[in-house]
Amino acid sequence: MNFTTFLIELSKALASSNGNRIAYLLSVTGPGAQELLKDLKETTRLSLLKYQNVITSPWDEVGIAHVQVIVRLSEGNFVDAYTEQATMAKAFERAFIGLQAWILPALFVVLKDLRDLAEKADDSRFQQGQGSDSPSLEDAARICNKAFTDCVMDRTIGSESRKWGIYHVVGLIFKCYFSVNKIALSRNIIRALSANKDIPALDEYPRSDQVTFKYYHGMLNFLNERYDESEQDLEEAFNLCHHDRIFRLILNYLIPLRLMRGKLPSPGLLHLFPRLQELYTPFIKALRRGNVTEYDAALDWAEPRLVEMGVYLAVEKTREICMRGLFRKVWKVLDKPSRIQIDQFHKGFRLSGQDVPAEETECLLANMIYKGYIKGYISHERQTVVLAKGDAAFPKLSEVKRP
């Protein structure tokens, strides 16, 4: 397909409001790009300027920039390819604001290619020793933000509204922000979504958009230590998801969140994800046994990977659940009395291999009572823990506020 044919096909797709066909033509990695590249006779921007105004502006600019992108990609020049894709995306957005929902498939392809090329451009700069910043991804986020605004501000009502592109674009923006470690900027998007009450409900959007939004929203809550909200978001994303790779990404955070509430993943689930099974099995065994020494050993062993995943703090906090298990074992061995000498809990520490001073044992018990893991109080004078009667002494973890 030569460039003239490409412009004719683009013009036909525009005339028939065929967004999927435009997406095919403007994809930089699909077969359409390869067909165009194979038959190109003129590849420089200067030589293509004669095609300006052959079709309605700014689609002539879109076409010329698209050619530059695929040519630069064929040369392995990701930095210039991104620059041309950004030029093309900006021209596309000028046309986008005058169109309706049928153009959304093309917008999604243009912005996805923009983000992917931005990542490759920044990686290329890094490999060439030009610094570790991410100027292309930051620029891509700005362009995606403009598209988000164009979708939100559309006043068309019903199925033809550009608002149906909102959450797909938001997902791309979140990916950019998380990639460049400017996660705090995501809050601006959340506020904009909350402020616009005429945006359709999230569950009316495609399932893939729901999963992406719930995942990143859950990540934001996780990083801000709003663990209950994070678990709810990630559980909803997990239940909606149907791709193994996304399942694994969600479980990276959902498993430690559930461990913090004493909820252990099933062996069947972990078997589907061997790397997560290898990582979390030592913690699960320690929690089942109430063995704090084993838990500490697992923390030391897994620390580099947990830090890399960003979940070390959550897994470390779960150590309190393991300690509760140890105290509960002592209580059960003593036949569940309502009064236990602090020294008995201290012996439990020693038997499990923990070198904890007697004074610290009392402090740890006081902390357990304060956080609701144990119901009762401490008589310091008598060095005794006075517990609630029966099983109420150790409430169900589901009833305890998350650590």
Side-chain angles (χ1 to χ4, degrees):
M1 175 167 54
N2 59 37
F3 189 56
T4 301
T5 304
F6 171 83
L7 291 177
I8 292 171
E9 290 297 312
L10 183 58
S11 183
K12 286 181 179 177
L14 288 166
S16 60
S17 300
N18 190 338
N20 289 315
R21 179 60 177 168
I22 297 172
Y24 174 87
L25 292 169
L26 296 184
S27 170
V28 301
T29 57
Q34 299 307 312
E35 292 174 23
L36 179 58
L37 185 63
K38 181 177 65 176
D39 293 333
L40 275 177
K41 299 294 189 291
E42 300 164 308
T43 60
T44 66
R45 180 175 288 277
L46 185 62
S47 64
L48 293 171
L49 287 178
K50 63 185 178 183
Y51 292 98
Q52 278 187 325
N53 301 319
V54 169
I55 61 173
T56 306
S57 181
W59 293 104
D60 50 354
E61 298 175 49
V62 169
I64 292 171
H66 177 66
V67 168
Q68 299 307 299
V69 175
I70 61 176
V71 169
R72 298 296 170 264
L73 275 178
S74 69
E75 298 168 349
N77 187 339
F78 295 117
V79 174
D80 287 351
Y82 170 76
T83 300
E84 294 293 350
Q85 182 71 12
T87 299
M88 192 266 272
K90 290 172 184 175
F92 182 96
E93 287 182 345
R94 293 204 304 274
F96 175 73
I97 57 174
L99 302 174
Q100 294 182 326
W102 63 265
I103 195 63
L104 289 174
L107 175 73
F108 299 160
V109 165
V110 169
L111 295 183
K112 181 182 182 300
D113 287 344
L114 180 79
R115 189 208 165 274
D116 292 346
L117 288 173
E119 192 168 50
K120 291 178 180 178
D122 289 336
D123 286 345
S124 178
R125 287 191 185 91
F126 178 75
Q127 291 168 9
Q128 294 171 19
Q130 297 179 21
S132 57
D133 293 338
S134 303
S136 296
L137 273 169
E138 291 181 17
D139 184 59
R142 287 190 288 270
I143 294 172
C144 290
N145 251 308
K146 174 65 167 58
F148 168 69
T149 301
D150 291 339
C151 290
V152 169
M153 299 306 292
D154 186 22
R155 293 293 173 257
T156 305
I157 298 173
S159 61
E160 295 304 315
S161 175
R162 295 193 304 272
K163 283 185 169 63
W164 295 109
I166 286 174
Y167 280 101
H168 191 99
V169 176
V170 165
L172 291 170
I173 296 171
F174 282 167
K175 288 176 184 178
C176 290
Y177 285 159
F178 275 74
S179 295
V180 301
N181 200 26
K182 293 196 173 181
I183 300 167
L185 294 176
S186 302
R187 297 193 191 100
N188 298 332
I189 301 296
I190 302 297
R191 281 194 290 268
L193 291 171
S194 300
N196 287 272
K197 304 302 182 183
D198 56 347
I199 294 174
L202 177 61
D203 60 10
E204 296 183 48
Y205 285 79
R207 178 177 292 190
S208 59
D209 293 347
Q210 295 180 50
V211 170
T212 302
F213 180 78
K214 285 291 183 182
Y215 170 72
Y216 281 107
H217 197 258
M219 286 279 290
L220 284 169
N221 282 324
F222 184 91
L223 294 170
N224 288 303
E225 299 186 25
R226 294 194 292 267
Y227 294 128
D228 289 334
E229 295 93 329
S230 178
E231 184 177 354
Q232 181 179 343
D233 285 332
L234 293 174
E235 279 188 349
E236 290 177 5
F238 185 85
N239 291 332
L240 289 166
C241 185
H242 52 264
H243 290 297
D244 283 351
R245 186 181 70 85
I246 308 301
F247 274 134
R248 181 178 55 77
L249 289 174
I250 294 170
L251 287 173
N252 282 343
Y253 299 92
L254 188 55
I255 288 176
L257 283 168
R258 293 179 71 81
L259 290 179
M260 290 171 74
R261 296 209 300 155
K263 294 183 178 180
L264 308 182
S266 68
L269 176 64
L270 287 178
H271 181 71
L272 298 173
F273 303 93
R275 293 198 68 202
L276 291 176
Q277 183 180 40
E278 177 191 26
L279 178 64
Y280 285 111
T281 295
F283 295 105
I284 293 169
K285 288 181 177 178
L287 287 166
R288 288 188 188 280
R289 297 169 183 167
N291 192 317
V292 182
T293 300
E294 286 185 10
Y295 198 91
D296 289 344
L299 268 177
D300 289 340
W301 166 74
E303 180 177 356
R305 188 170 169 200
L306 294 173
V307 170
E308 182 183 357
M309 292 165 61
V311 298
Y312 179 81
L313 182 60
V315 177
E316 185 185 41
K317 286 183 176 182
T318 305
R319 184 179 187 273
E320 293 183 336
I321 305 297
C322 193
M323 191 180 301
R324 171 195 178 273
L326 173 62
F327 290 152
R328 191 169 187 274
K329 281 175 63 177
V330 171
W331 172 68
K332 290 178 71 175
V333 165
L334 296 173
D335 201 22
K336 302 182 178 180
S338 59
R339 285 176 172 79
I340 304 177
Q341 290 291 309
I342 291 175
D343 182 64
Q344 297 292 333
F345 291 110
H346 185 229
K347 287 177 182 177
F349 271 126
R350 291 205 307 271
L351 288 172
S352 68
Q354 287 284 304
D355 184 18
V356 178
E359 297 81 3
E360 186 177 343
T361 301
E362 183 176 351
C363 290
L364 291 170
L365 283 163
N367 193 46
M368 286 277 129
I369 293 171
Y370 171 74
K371 292 188 175 181
Y373 290 121
I374 299 175
K375 291 292 185 183
Y377 63 91
I378 293 175
S379 172
H380 179 71
E381 295 79 7
R382 299 182 182 225
Q383 286 292 288
T384 301
V385 180
V386 181
L387 298 169
K389 291 184 179 181
D391 291 341
F394 287 82
K396 294 180 180 179
L397 288 170
S398 60
E399 300 171 359
V400 180
K401 186 178 179 181
R402 194 187 299 269

